[in-house]
Amino acid sequence: ETYNAELIRSAIPNWFLAQLAAKQVKMVLTGEGADELWAGYAYFADAPNPSSVHQELIRIYNFLGKANLLRTDRITSAHSLEARVPFLDTQNTSTAMEIHPRLKHTAGVLGPKGEPGEKMFLRKCFERQHGGVTIPKDLLYRAKAMQCEGTGPNLVASIQNFLSSKVSDHDFAHAHIRFPHETPQSKEEYYYRHIFDSFYPDCDHVPTLWPGGYRAGGAKWRSLTYTRHGRNDLHKLAHALQQEETREPSSISSSSSS
């Protein structure tokens, strides 16, 4: 129950993923919370100092129930699927938040092949074997992508282009009259708001939206990576598993410890 465009974009592929998973299992583990504990979003690369990283992590962690977890709960429940969130284990959360934020400050930090440095401290923890399992470097250092990005670099643009044809210029020009509270700033936002209003009239004050309309919009620093309309540098999401077309799919290798 929201008209938050950023949230809905990720809910669309999440819906199909949950639908597919529910045909095979009754419970799934998700990665919700990892980015809020380990500075996983790309805009953290623009953070001016470790203190600002820590304050931003606290801000978005406290917003989980109104964003990520709201999406996860509604989408999985719609398919009678139970989602569990191991990263949000209370002990793990406490440990992660006690780690000095300088270890999470990723400005200028890159992976071994120049990959974006988000969640670098967490990634490095898994460079060595754990239980005889080694994660291939191509997977371990692959750029973090939100669900609406990871399902295809053109998904968000395709959605926005399609919805632009569903909202007239006249209606959008008068959006501030129809929706004076949290006025839609794009035709995509207008369309989501129109659907929400048709099901929940006069309830536009109920959903809590990100300040500024999107996650990075409420940060104490300005980021050029994310805008209200989505991520700007989609080329950074390309990785070795996509680029090497003739390569066989990577698999997690297992070997015994010496």
Side-chain angles (χ1 to χ4, degrees):
E1 301 82 2
T2 187
Y3 46 85
N4 184 335
E6 190 175 77
L7 196 60
I8 294 171
R9 291 175 198 147
S10 286
I12 295 171
N14 203 170
W15 171 276
F16 293 108
L17 179 61
Q19 185 180 58
L20 180 62
K23 296 178 181 179
Q24 305 292 329
V25 297
K26 293 296 184 182
M27 185 274 292
V28 294
L29 300 179
T30 84
E32 308 298 345
D35 296 312
E36 287 72 18
L37 296 175
W38 299 101
Y41 296 107
Y43 72 94
F44 276 95
D46 301 319
N49 52 60
S51 177
S52 63
V53 170
H54 187 64
Q55 293 304 314
E56 178 66 2
L57 290 177
I58 293 174
R59 183 184 77 88
I60 62 176
Y61 177 87
N62 288 332
F63 214 88
L64 275 169
K66 303 165 187 172
N68 305 49
L69 296 182
L70 175 66
R71 166 181 50 76
T72 300
D73 175 72
R74 297 299 192 270
I75 297 300
T76 55
S77 296
H79 296 286
S80 300
L81 188 65
E82 178 188 353
R84 298 185 183 182
V85 287
F87 275 106
L88 293 175
D89 170 80
T90 54
Q91 183 175 348
N92 181 67
T93 298
S94 177
T95 299
M97 285 301 192
E98 289 173 358
I99 291 176
H100 199 287
R102 71 172 179 274
L103 298 175
K104 304 176 185 178
H105 189 211
T106 58
V109 176
L110 298 175
K113 293 183 180 180
E115 304 93 339
E118 65 267 1
K119 286 186 288 197
M120 188 58 69
F121 182 84
L122 181 62
R123 294 173 191 263
K124 287 185 175 296
C125 290
F126 288 90
E127 281 189 333
R128 64 182 180 85
Q129 282 189 8
H130 288 273
V133 175
T134 301
I135 301 177
K137 292 294 180 64
D138 287 342
L139 294 179
L140 185 60
Y141 288 99
R142 187 166 61 183
K144 182 265 184 316
M146 292 194 290
Q147 291 195 49
C148 59
E149 301 161 348
T151 50
N154 298 320
L155 177 63
V156 173
S158 297
I159 292 174
Q160 291 169 341
N161 290 336
F162 174 74
L163 295 184
S164 289
S165 67
K166 300 295 182 180
V167 178
S168 70
D169 292 340
H170 177 271
D171 286 344
F172 183 59
H174 292 81
H176 64 288
I177 298 175
R178 183 180 179 187
F179 303 119
H181 175 73
E182 296 285 1
T183 302
Q185 300 298 302
S186 67
K187 288 187 176 182
E188 178 196 18
E189 292 184 8
Y190 186 100
Y191 187 80
Y192 298 150
R193 187 65 170 274
H194 168 72
I195 294 177
F196 179 89
D197 190 59
S198 66
F199 283 95
Y200 309 106
D202 302 320
C203 292
D204 54 353
H205 287 75
V206 176
T208 302
L209 274 61
W210 289 106
Y214 63 110
R215 188 190 319 273
K220 296 299 184 182
W221 64 88
R222 182 170 178 262
S223 174
L224 298 178
T225 303
Y226 275 101
T227 71
R228 189 164 182 146
H229 303 293
R231 183 166 180 158
N232 285 327
D233 55 347
L234 291 175
H235 67 281
K236 290 187 177 181
L237 298 179
H239 49 77
L241 299 181
Q242 294 173 323
Q243 295 165 350
E244 300 178 23
E245 295 180 355
T246 60
R247 178 178 176 175
E248 293 182 2
S250 295
S251 60
I252 294 179
S253 60
S254 177
S255 60
S256 58
S257 301
S258 57

